[in-house]
Amino acid sequence: MNKLYLLVLLCLMCFGSCSPKIETIQEEVIDSLELYIQPYNISNSKQVIDFKDSLQIHLNEIITKPTNIIILPNIQLDDSLKATSTKYKASAILRNQVSMNLSGPVIGFTNYDISTRCRGIDNWGVLGLSFLNKNTCIVSTYRLKDKSLIWKVGIHELMHAHYGLRHCPNDSDSCIMKDAKGKANFKNKDHLCDTCKKLIYD
């Protein structure tokens, strides 16, 4: 009986020492960015889809956070939002977007001309406008010769609106946060410089 007890004890000790350790693997949870596109007066839905796809591709390259982009139903801009007969008040549209209370930043998207007060001029036409750190911005293709570059304007304004970035402190020609200074020149801007990227993650 004592021999049998000793044999069982030795087997249990052997099993305990030779069995693999069970480790609990905790998956790293990365919060995704939920981003909304609000089209205004857009008759061609493919144009919005192309904008979304371009944003998706390039945001994945610029930031590491996964991005879920949602296209909202098209809205017709009301005449009360007009600054002139041909321009819409960008700031008024942004205030409307703030009131939408969405769970993430929203980018307004239009082919119409938009304007804001700039350099002493009440209705200065712009490619885009944002409220810093307010999760709302708008872009317009109206002043772009190459409409396919609108994603660069979108990311530029998103960086203002969601991440609170200001214009590139290095004024780097290739940084997407370089101040356009009233010129529709985005050809060489395709990434965030190291300084601007650091500001996001700090």
Side-chain angles (χ1 to χ4, degrees):
M1 186 62 142
N2 289 338
K3 289 183 179 180
L4 179 61
Y5 175 78
L6 182 60
L7 180 62
V8 171
L9 182 61
L10 287 172
C11 286
L12 288 173
M13 289 175 66
C14 182
F15 177 78
S17 61
C18 297
S19 61
K21 293 181 180 180
I22 300 174
E23 296 181 356
T24 302
I25 301 174
Q26 184 175 1
E27 294 183 0
E28 183 180 358
V29 178
I30 303 176
D31 292 334
S32 63
L33 173 64
E34 195 155 84
L35 173 62
Y36 297 88
I37 297 174
Q38 177 58 73
Y40 294 108
N41 297 43
I42 301 293
S43 57
N44 183 1
S45 60
K46 184 179 182 301
Q47 187 184 17
V48 186
I49 293 171
D50 288 346
F51 177 55
K52 172 191 172 183
D53 291 345
S54 294
L55 280 178
Q56 189 82 69
I57 291 168
H58 296 289
L59 276 173
N60 287 344
E61 295 171 353
I62 291 173
I63 60 174
T64 56
K65 183 181 288 189
T67 307
N68 179 34
I69 303 178
I70 300 164
I71 298 176
L72 300 171
N74 183 62
I75 292 177
Q76 296 297 315
L77 289 170
D78 192 82
D79 284 347
S80 64
L81 297 172
K82 280 189 172 181
T84 68
S85 60
T86 59
K87 295 176 182 175
Y88 285 89
K89 301 174 187 175
S91 58
I93 297 172
L94 294 184
R95 283 192 289 271
N96 285 350
Q97 289 180 179
V98 169
S99 67
M100 294 166 72
N101 291 320
L102 296 172
S103 60
V106 56
I107 302 178
F109 179 78
T110 186
N111 295 321
Y112 280 64
D113 201 7
I114 58 175
S115 65
T116 188
R117 179 170 178 77
C118 181
R119 298 181 176 137
I121 300 174
D122 282 337
N123 297 304
W124 181 278
V126 292
L127 293 170
L129 189 71
S130 57
F131 285 165
L132 196 69
N133 275 327
K134 297 294 184 183
N135 268 350
T136 186
C137 57
I138 184 169
V139 298
S140 166
T141 65
Y142 186 85
R143 295 175 179 272
L144 273 179
K145 290 181 179 179
D146 185 351
K147 310 297 185 189
S148 68
L149 298 181
I150 191 63
W151 67 266
K152 297 188 178 189
V153 186
I155 292 179
H156 178 98
E157 297 302 339
L158 178 65
M159 293 296 128
H160 285 318
H162 183 64
Y163 292 99
L165 287 188
R166 298 184 183 273
H167 288 137
C168 178
N170 301 326
D171 203 30
S172 170
D173 288 336
S174 60
C175 182
I176 209 161
M177 292 311 295
K178 178 181 171 66
D179 188 354
K181 297 174 183 175
K183 298 177 181 179
N185 182 13
F186 276 82
K187 185 177 180 180
N188 298 321
K189 304 173 188 178
D190 54 13
H191 68 279
L192 284 177
C193 69
D194 290 342
T195 300
C196 289
K197 190 176 291 186
K198 189 174 185 294
L199 292 172
I200 287 181
Y201 297 109
D202 279 357

